[in-house]
Amino acid sequence: MKYVNQPIRKTDAKALVTGKPVYTDDLAPKDCLIVKVLRSPHANAWIEDIKTGTASQTSGIVCVLTYKDVPKKQFTLAGQTYPELSPYDRLILDRHVRFVGDAVAIVAGETEEAVDKALKRIKVNYRVEAPVLDIHKAKDNPILVHPEDDWEAKVPVGADNRRNLCASRVEEEGDVDEVLASCKYTVEQTYRTRPNQQTMMETFRTYCSIDHFGRLNVVSSTQIPFHVRRIIGNALDIPASKVRVIKPRIGGGFGAKQTAVCEIYPAIVTWMTGRPSKIVYSRYESMICSSPRHEMEIRVRAGADEDGIVKALDVYTLSNGGAYGEHSPTTVGLSGHKSIALYRHTKAYRFAYDVVYTNVQAAGAYRGYGATQGIYAVESAVNELAHKMGMDPVKIRELNMPMEGEPLPAYGDCPTAPSCSMDRCLARAKEMMDWDAKYPFRDMGNGKVRGVGVAMGMQGSSIAGVDVGGADLKLNEDGSYTLGLGCTDMGTGCDTILVQMAAECLDTTMENIVVFGVDTDISPYDSGSYASATTYTTGNAVMQACDELRLRICALGAEMLGVSPEDVEFDGTVVSCKEKQVTLKEIAVKGTCGNCQELQVTRTYSSMISPPPFMVGMAEVEIDKETGSTQVVDYVAVVDCGTPINPNLARVQTEGGIAQGIGMALYEDVQYSEKGAVRNNSFMQYKIPSRQDIGDIRVEFQCSYEKSGPFGAKSIGELVIDTPCPAIADAVYNAAGVRVRELPITPEKVAMGILERELEN
């Protein structure tokens, strides 16, 4: 193939590296009102009185809004297809503030200085109540995070605001207790993951204006333009037809921008004043009032027979939704569905969960979307099971891993794996790491020891029967093509790979295709860039649009030649029949003059299955036994994402996801004070790994061919963050004999574990 499976440079690479104005704040009009939000200093309080008169009189201030001035209609900020599974539990502004950082008032003014001055002049009298901060005490607590009567769950997910429950469910197959009792080897352990921030380079930002039709135009750094349109319509209580959303280039999202974190604030200001306005979150705001990864506590019971075959898995997840329920009913499901399915011989399983409301900032989507937490727990439990059996952790996976055509327990989107090269991934990773020589550990001298660990991972390719990809393709009069997309390129390069597919299908050059991003007025509907959907779902829509447009080009070319469409051939340049031919440009011109055949195609695609990509990760860590300092010196990843459309971009995705996984494993932890305030609210306190912290990352691909995917492709975006946590945790155990079951694995935990072990001996 000429373009597909080739390491093509990103279409927007030059614009980005030369600093062209492509991001939201670059494009905002100079006369935008500056919008900022006054935020609550309390985790749980009621506004008894709020005085804004002095603030409103500040020079340069255009409006100050409180709960008295905005619609009283509940909505959710979760960007998922309607009907949303997340409860409708928000107002634009509310008397009841539910976390430190919750919105109290909106201020808009001509300058930032004026707005900052006005914010200080707002006087609020709060009735402070005790907050619910402990996830173990939240369920059925007499203190309710959402006591309001107009709280609503549109889909039955086990939510009950009177019990502080955002979701609750039990799924099981077979008799788990009976099968576990029959297993020769069992483990039962609880694993804890902490909230993590996505820390994308570009913080949340949006600008709004009113066009000459009186419609609200919203330009936002978002992964979900079409959902933002609906969310703003719901929040402002106006028809979605009155809202237009445009997505410029995005400086990273990683799931954070699958929640409409900031859009409603400039939207309400512009709608009420008629003036352009913009909001740009500071890094501080992005740390204290955004949408971090859900904190989860996961109890795993696992059992295997004498031969090492895993027979039963029992997983219970307790998830912290925070003050609002965005994405809480959906993330938790992946903690079981994507982890239990890794063990194909499982005869019985149980997956139960509770998601609770607490008085901390609302959690949301983050790469991996719950699977990361679940895979950490289940893979760690299986590693402990292997150690208990005296079996190499690689061996237990060789016996139990997913195989093509074999069952995927608890993975409802595909009962069996339609495509899978996990066996080749594991074999190649073992070879790359030189596992047999390094397992379990090596003493490096001078108090340093190195250990290795392994983990498997799987994800999905879109949400089966839900996600929709859209593509609009037209032939222009000069023989070029325009490809309109509804998905969101957030730096991943999806615009590039979709043009690669189109160029391959149309037998043309990539330079001959103009691609444009999302404008909800003119782009085909697309669910958005999340759930590892873009390559698989939108890619299929692009291919179908190309196939149909080729047929139409051939039909018009045949008409111009006076022959039957079945008799012509199209090579991307000319339509020919024997000795006669007509050029693509001539067809394009004919398509715009005296012609009734439309040379424009819109196609949407939604899959009834979600074929999972697979991955094996192996980590080598070095530990200083005196200080507990732990460093990843080598990480090997072998990935099955079907056919990589662009190996360079797939490799970068893998390396980035692993780096984030290393951060989750070793460094990152959103911490709250006893009053619910975020302690680490800047990069001075919240540490993410730099390039110097992550050692070597070596990536290879073992391709399978997914028949339902475009050119055999599956997804890759989320999968690649799933293996570092369990692999690193087991590497630490192998090196130092310390089992850390609560992330992050800090030097203090390792050093104290070593000391305790020495004292026991």
Side-chain angles (χ1 to χ4, degrees):
M1 290 182 285
K2 189 174 181 180
Y3 294 106
V4 167
N5 199 222
Q6 301 301 315
I8 306 293
R9 189 175 70 181
K10 287 175 64 177
T11 57
D12 60 352
K14 187 174 181 180
L16 297 178
V17 300
T18 56
K20 298 295 183 184
V22 296
Y23 296 102
T24 300
D25 198 31
D26 299 330
L27 305 175
K30 300 303 180 186
D31 62 344
C32 274
L33 296 176
I34 304 301
V35 179
K36 292 194 176 186
V37 178
L38 179 69
R39 301 195 176 278
S40 169
H42 306 293
N44 187 17
W46 293 80
I47 299 172
E48 294 283 276
D49 186 40
I50 182 166
K51 291 183 171 62
T52 62
T54 306
S56 299
Q57 294 168 10
T58 303
S59 177
I61 294 302
V62 175
C63 74
V64 178
L65 304 176
T66 72
Y67 70 90
K68 303 173 186 178
D69 308 306
V70 299
K72 305 296 189 291
K73 184 180 179 183
Q74 295 272 10
F75 61 94
T76 176
L77 294 178
Q80 290 184 292
T81 300
Y82 189 87
E84 292 117 332
L85 277 73
S86 301
Y88 278 38
D89 56 9
R90 276 190 185 265
L91 297 174
I92 298 174
L93 295 171
D94 199 344
R95 277 193 65 215
H96 188 184
V97 288
R98 296 175 174 85
F99 70 95
V100 176
D102 207 352
V104 173
I106 304 167
V107 179
E110 306 287 356
T111 65
E112 187 170 4
E113 292 75 15
V115 173
D116 287 340
K117 187 179 292 185
L119 285 169
K120 294 176 183 177
R121 293 179 172 179
I122 299 173
K123 303 302 179 185
V124 188
N125 181 26
Y126 296 97
R127 184 177 83 242
V128 180
E129 298 185 352
V132 179
L133 300 175
D134 188 339
I135 60 172
H136 305 96
K137 299 177 181 178
K139 182 178 175 180
D140 295 323
N141 195 301
I143 300 171
L144 296 180
V145 178
H146 284 277
E148 64 270 21
D149 294 331
D150 54 351
W151 177 96
E152 181 185 10
K154 288 187 174 292
V155 179
V157 292
D160 187 345
N161 62 319
R162 298 295 171 179
R163 302 183 63 198
N164 282 337
L165 273 179
C166 201
S168 182
R169 190 176 180 183
V170 178
E171 306 171 19
E172 54 187 320
E173 183 174 301
D175 191 326
V176 172
D177 298 320
E178 181 181 322
V179 175
L180 280 170
S182 69
C183 290
K184 183 173 182 179
Y185 301 97
T186 59
V187 295
E188 180 175 354
Q189 293 293 347
T190 299
Y191 305 89
R192 298 176 179 87
T193 66
R194 298 291 300 158
N196 307 132
Q197 285 286 0
Q198 297 89 345
T199 64
M200 60 283 172
M201 290 179 68
E202 182 195 32
T203 60
F204 303 95
R205 53 198 62 197
T206 299
Y207 76 84
C208 300
S209 61
I210 300 290
D211 65 20
H212 57 284
F213 295 112
R215 300 172 71 224
L216 179 65
N217 288 354
V218 180
V219 179
S220 184
S221 180
T222 179
Q223 299 172 223
I224 48 165
F226 285 93
H227 297 322
V228 165
R229 181 177 65 177
R230 182 182 69 250
I231 290 166
I232 289 176
N234 286 341
L236 272 59
D237 201 15
I238 61 176
S241 61
K242 292 287 187 180
V243 183
R244 176 190 187 189
V245 179
I246 298 170
K247 186 277 311 175
R249 187 58 60 202
I250 297 179
F254 309 117
K257 295 171 184 175
Q258 194 189 339
T259 302
V261 170
C262 71
E263 285 85 349
I264 55 174
Y265 302 122
I268 187 68
V269 167
T270 293
W271 189 249
M272 295 182 73
T273 67
R275 296 274 305 273
S277 69
K278 74 172 181 180
I279 191 167
V280 176
Y281 270 30
S282 64
R283 182 60 62 182
Y284 170 77
E285 286 179 294
S286 294
M287 289 292 193
I288 70 161
C289 50
S290 53
S291 55
R293 187 188 296 282
H294 288 75
E295 172 191 12
M296 291 188 185
E297 180 178 281
I298 304 174
R299 187 188 70 238
V300 181
R301 293 196 299 161
D305 65 16
E306 63 276 6
D307 298 320
I309 303 300
V310 176
K311 296 291 188 180
L313 286 166
D314 184 2
V315 177
Y316 170 71
T317 302
L318 177 62
S319 178
N320 187 356
Y324 301 97
E326 284 93 24
H327 300 285
S328 286
T330 44
T331 50
V332 69
L334 275 67
S335 69
H337 299 151
K338 299 295 194 290
S339 57
I340 295 170
L342 287 167
Y343 293 88
R344 72 179 190 273
H345 299 303
T346 302
K347 282 191 172 182
Y349 69 82
R350 180 188 297 123
F351 173 40
Y353 56 78
D354 289 311
V355 187
V356 293
Y357 281 118
T358 61
N359 290 115
V360 299
Q361 67 179 317
Y366 186 176
R367 191 180 208 162
Y369 204 78
T372 310
Q373 297 96 307
I375 288 173
Y376 160 65
V378 170
E379 285 296 271
S380 292
V382 170
N383 279 330
E384 294 201 49
L385 193 62
H387 289 297
K388 194 171 186 179
M389 297 168 61
M391 180 178 284
D392 188 321
V394 169
K395 180 63 177 179
I396 198 171
R397 287 171 173 82
E398 289 173 342
L399 294 170
N400 292 281
M401 72 175 81
M403 299 286 285
E404 191 164 309
E406 293 292 310
L408 295 172
Y411 188 80
D413 296 337
C414 293
T416 60
S419 58
C420 179
S421 63
M422 184 76 96
D423 54 343
R424 288 186 279 124
C425 291
L426 184 59
R428 180 57 184 147
K430 183 179 180 181
E431 182 181 358
M432 291 170 67
M433 182 56 78
D434 194 12
W435 178 270
D436 289 337
K438 294 179 178 178
Y439 177 78
F441 73 94
R442 295 178 294 159
D443 192 325
M444 309 304 291
N446 198 29
K448 303 288 182 66
V449 62
R450 290 187 178 185
V452 290
V454 60
M456 301 186 297
M458 62 177 283
Q459 200 79 28
S461 299
S462 79
I463 305 173
V466 173
D467 286 343
V468 174
D472 180 273
L473 184 67
K474 67 177 178 179
L475 177 65
N476 302 310
E477 62 269 22
D478 63 348
S480 66
Y481 299 92
T482 298
L483 177 61
L485 300 171
C487 62
T488 300
D489 192 329
M490 51 181 166
T492 55
C494 70
D495 285 357
T496 303
I497 63 170
L498 294 170
V499 171
Q500 286 179 253
M501 294 184 199
E504 197 74 55
C505 292
L506 295 167
D507 289 313
T508 190
T509 64
M510 290 181 62
E511 293 74 22
N512 197 43
I513 302 174
V514 177
V515 61
F516 70 88
V518 190
D519 178 336
T520 57
D521 271 7
I522 58 176
S523 298
Y525 178 80
D526 195 291
S527 304
S529 291
Y530 60 87
S532 303
T534 306
T535 298
Y536 179 77
T537 304
T538 310
N540 269 316
V542 168
M543 287 187 66
Q544 291 181 3
C546 290
D547 291 344
E548 176 60 25
L549 188 57
R550 283 188 70 106
L551 291 175
R552 295 188 186 187
I553 290 170
C554 288
L556 184 53
E559 180 182 304
M560 294 169 69
L561 293 172
V563 299
S564 171
E566 292 79 21
D567 296 330
V568 301
E569 294 181 351
F570 177 47
D571 66 1
T573 304
V574 299
V575 171
S576 60
C577 178
K578 298 181 180 178
E579 302 299 323
K580 298 188 296 183
Q581 67 177 33
V582 60
T583 67
L584 180 62
K585 187 173 182 179
E586 290 170 329
I587 295 170
V589 170
K590 179 64 175 175
T592 62
C593 180
N595 169 59
C596 295
Q597 296 188 43
E598 185 182 22
L599 297 183
Q600 181 170 351
V601 177
T602 300
R603 285 290 179 270
T604 58
Y605 179 83
S606 184
S607 177
M608 293 300 106
I609 63 171
S610 178
F614 300 96
M615 175 183 179
V616 171
M618 289 185 175
E620 182 177 19
V621 303
E622 181 173 277
I623 295 175
D624 185 321
K625 292 190 290 185
E626 185 173 351
T627 66
S629 175
T630 302
Q631 183 177 6
V632 177
V633 295
D634 191 17
Y635 200 96
V636 164
V638 186
V639 180
D640 164 23
C641 60
T643 302
I645 302 298
N646 187 318
N648 275 3
L649 296 181
R651 186 178 307 278
V652 170
Q653 284 282 291
T654 307
E655 291 172 350
I658 290 169
Q660 288 178 310
I662 291 171
M664 181 178 176
L666 296 179
Y667 308 108
E668 299 183 47
D669 179 6
V670 177
Q671 300 174 4
Y672 293 94
S673 72
E674 64 281 355
K675 293 185 178 181
V678 176
R679 284 197 173 101
N680 38 1
N681 53 31
S682 76
F683 283 146
M684 292 295 290
Q685 295 87 22
Y686 188 83
K687 299 300 183 182
I688 62 174
S690 72
R691 184 62 188 88
Q692 294 176 314
D693 298 314
I694 57 178
D696 289 335
I697 295 178
R698 295 183 286 145
V699 176
E700 289 191 8
F701 299 96
Q702 288 291 328
C703 301
S704 62
Y705 186 87
E706 175 51 49
K707 293 179 182 178
S708 68
F711 294 98
K714 297 186 285 190
S715 72
I716 194 171
E718 294 180 279
L719 165 74
V720 291
I721 199 173
D722 289 338
T723 59
C725 291
I728 291 170
D730 205 47
V732 168
Y733 175 79
N734 288 329
V738 176
R739 178 68 66 182
V740 180
R741 299 187 180 93
E742 180 172 3
L743 300 180
I745 305 169
T746 61
E748 293 84 354
K749 293 175 184 176
V750 175
M752 292 304 295
I754 292 173
L755 180 60
E756 289 172 9
R757 190 166 57 86
E758 289 176 351
L759 291 175
E760 289 174 359
N761 295 334

